[in-house]
Amino acid sequence: MFFVNEIKKSLLISCWFIFLTFPIMVIRINPYEEIVDYRWNNLILVGVGSFILSLVGRAVQRRREKIGQNDTDQTAGSTFRIATKMYVPLVALSVLVICCFPFVFSTYQTNIMTTALIYVVLGLGLNIVVGLAGLLDLGYVAFYAVGAYSYALLNYHFGLGFWTVLPIGAGLGALFGILLGFPVLRLRGDYLAIVTLGFGEIIRLILENWNDFSFGPSGIANIPRPSFFGMEMSLQAATIYIYFLMVGLAVFTVFVVNRLQHSRIGRAWIALREDEIACQAMGIDKTKTKLTAFALGATWAGMMGVVFAAKTTFINPASFTFLESAIILSIVVLGGMGSILGVIIAAFILILLPEYLRAFSDYRMLLFGATMVMMMVFRPQGLVAPRRRCYQFRKTDDPAAGIK
Amino acid sequence: MKPILTVDKLSMDFGGLRALDRLDLEINTGEIVALIGPNGAGKSTFFNCITGIYLPTGGDVYLTPPHGRKKIINGLKPNQVTKKGMARTFQNIRLFTEMTVLENIMIGRHCRTKASILGAVFKGPGTIREEKEIVEDSYRILVKIGLADSVNMKATNLPYGAQRRLEIGRALATEPFLLLLDEPAAGMNPMETKELDDLIISLRDEGMAILLIEHDMKLVMSLSSRIYVMDYGKKIAQGTPVEIRNNPKVIKAYLGTEN
Ligand SMILES: Nc1ncnc2c1ncn2[C@@H]1O[C@H](COP(=O)(O)OP(=O)(O)OP(=O)(O)O)[C@@H](O)[C@H]1O
Ligand SMILES: [Mg+2]
C-alpha cells in the first residue's frame, strides 16, 4: 500500500515535469522550414527521469529523517571534517595545481579560472553579510559596480593606475555599504531583501541613464590592465599576471575572513543573526555591528570590481544586473552560510560548470534552479556546514591551563 | 542601605492597553527582590521597559552603580543599559542556538572587551591576550554554573534546565551588579530548581542584587527578602514574604482562594 502511494506521488510529479518542460524540451520551432518539430523522445526522457529521481529523492530523504532521529552527535557542526592526516597533502596538491595552471592550460582557461577566483572573493564577502550577520542582501552587485566604475572613471579622468585605485575601490565599496546600511538598520528578512534589491537596481539604473557621468549603456572601453612596475606585457603575460594577482587576493580574503569570523566582531555578527533582541540585551551595539557587516562585505565587492574592470578592459551596466547578485547569493547558500571552504567550493562549481558544459547552455538556468531546489531539500545547511571553533580545557579548576 | 535601582512612576501603554500603571520599585545593594503577579500582570513588560527593549510611555528609571552616581537610564538602548551593569534573562529562552555553550558566554564578554576589526585581522599581542582572557573568564563562568562539561556543545542540544542556567551565565559574563531573572525556574524539575536556588544564593553572597520574576511560590518565599506584587499593571502590595503571604489583597488577586 505504502509503495503504491509512493509510485502515485512520483507519477504525479513526472506529469508535472512533462507539462512544465513541454515548451522547451519537446516543441522546437524550425524557422527556416517554418515547421514545428515535436521531439517526443524528450518527453519520455523527462517523464521517466523525473519519475525515478523523485522516487530516489524521497527514499533518500526518508532515510535521512530516520538517521536524524537517532543522531547522537552533539558537538557543534561536526558534519564535515577532513582528517588532519589528509590535510597537508591536500593543501600541497592544490597549491601545485594553482601554481601550474596558467602554464599548462590556455589563456582562455586561465581567464575562466580568474573569473572563478573573483567569484570566490565575492562569495566570501557576501558571506560576511548573509552567512555571518544574517542580513539578506540582494543588491550586493551594486558594490561590485561601484568598484568597477571607480577604476574606469578615475582612470579615464585622472589617469590613476590599478594599484592606486584598488584600495580606493575597496574604500568606496565600504562607504556605499554603510550608505546602504543606514536606511535598512531597522529592517529584517524579507523587507531587508526587497530594499537591498532596490538599491542594487538603483545603482544600475543610475549607471545606465546618467550619460554624462558613466557614459550610459555603451559603457567604458580601453581600461588599462594592471601594470607590473610599469612594464608593458603581452596579452598572455597579462592574463597570467591577473590570474596570480587574483590568487593572491583570494588567499588574502580567506585569511582576513577567517580571522574575522573567529574574532569578537565575528561572534557579534553571528549572535546578531541568531537573535537580535538577545544580542542587544547582552551588550552588543546592533547599529555598529550591522554597519560593520555591510561595510566589510561591500569592501570585497568594491575591490573585485576594480579587478574585474582591469581584467575585461571594458565595462557597462549590463555586467551588474540582479542575476549577478543572485549568482553570488547562490554561491553562499550552496556553499553553506558562514563556511569559508563551502563558499570556495560552491564558487568553483557554479562558475566553472556552466563554462565547461557549454553544450547544455540552453538548459543552464533550468539546471541552476534544479540544483538550488535540490540543495534546499536535501542539504539546507549547504555543502559544507559551518563549524564553530572548539576549545579544549584540562579538567582542573584552573581555566588558564590547557587552552588550545 | 542605598538603592541601586529606583523606578519612579513607570507607565507603559500598548495602544489602549495600560500594561504598566505608575509603578514604583526600589532595589538595594545585595538583596534578592521578587516581582510576582498573575499571568498578564505586566511583569515581563516591566523588565522590557527598564532594560530599554521597550521605551516606556511615562516615568523614570535610575541606576546607581556601587561606586558611581545615580543616573537616569530610560531612553538608553538595551546594550547601553547592559553596559551600565544591569543584565537580564528572558522568559522564553533566547540563547544563540547555533553557537557553542562557551561562545554564548563569550558574547556576554563583548561589552567588557574592545578588540577592533583591525585588531582581529592583525592579531597583535593585545588582541591575543584579550581573546585569551575572554575564553578563560567564560570558562570560569561555565564552571560556576555547572556546565564545564558541555563547553563545545551546541546550545540547542543542552537539556532545558541547563539552557536556563546558560542564559544566566551569559548575563553574568557582562559583569552586572544587578541581575534580572524572568521566570528562571519555569519548566524545571525539582532537582534543577534546587540547583538554581543554590546558584542564586551564591550570586547574592558575592554581593549581586537580583530582581526575580517567578511563579514558583516556594522559591520566591525562601529566596527573597522583599516581594512586590502587581496586577493589571499596578502595584497592589509590597513587603516581606510573611507580610505578603498574609495580605488579603494579594490572596484575592494572586493566590486565589487556595490559601
Ligand atoms: N508588545 C506588546 N504589544 C501589545 N501588548 C503587549 C505587548 N507585550 C505585552 N503586552 C500585553 O501586556 C500585558 C502584560 O504582559 P506581560 O507579558 O508583561 O505579562 P506577564 O506579567 O509577564 O505575564 P506572564 O506571567 O504570563 O509572563 C498583557 O496583557 C500583554 O498582552
Ligand atoms: Mg512574563
Side-chain angles (χ1 to χ4, degrees), chain B residues 14 17 19 38-45 54 91 183 215:
Chain B
F14 292 114
L17 180 87
N39 290 112
K43 307 179 296 291
S44 298
T45 305
Y54 293 160
Q91 182 172 354
E183 302 197 18
H215 283 300

